[in-house]
Amino acid sequence: AGYIKGDANGDGKVNIDDVTAVLNHVVENRFLTGTNFQAADVVSDNKVNIDDVTKLLNFIVENITTLDSYRCCWHVPWC
């Protein structure tokens, strides 16, 4: 099954609700699994942690224009 990178809650959109889902995973309230975990791993390091939250937030507020790691600018630390 496919997924949208950043769409951690699986609703077809990337927004603040996905940040909430990732934060819940990070603080161990509700774990992400399967494609939700893969979608949440926006840093592409096979982990879901605060780095993914930071990148998602930067995408939502349009500090970055893509979640693709190969398109990041040199000054973005998670690329």
Side-chain angles (χ1 to χ4, degrees):
Y3 61 90
I4 298 169
K5 193 169 196 171
D7 182 20
N9 67 358
D11 68 355
K13 301 173 281 195
V14 178
N15 57 31
I16 197 67
D17 295 333
D18 300 299
V19 175
T20 301
V22 176
L23 279 170
N24 275 317
H25 178 88
V26 170
V27 299
E28 301 180 356
N29 281 341
R30 183 172 295 168
F31 290 103
L32 297 168
T33 59
T35 55
N36 294 74
F37 182 93
Q38 291 173 302
D41 181 21
V42 295
V43 177
S44 301
D45 61 357
N46 297 314
K47 298 179 262 186
V48 173
N49 56 34
I50 198 67
D51 293 335
D52 300 292
V53 173
T54 302
K55 188 170 182 180
L56 266 176
L57 283 170
N58 275 290
F59 178 75
I60 290 167
V61 301
E62 300 178 353
N63 285 339
I64 59 174
T65 58
T66 182
L67 292 173
D68 295 332
S69 57
Y70 62 86
R71 289 183 165 172
C72 290
C73 299
W74 63 270
H75 63 278
V76 180
W78 51 77
C79 295

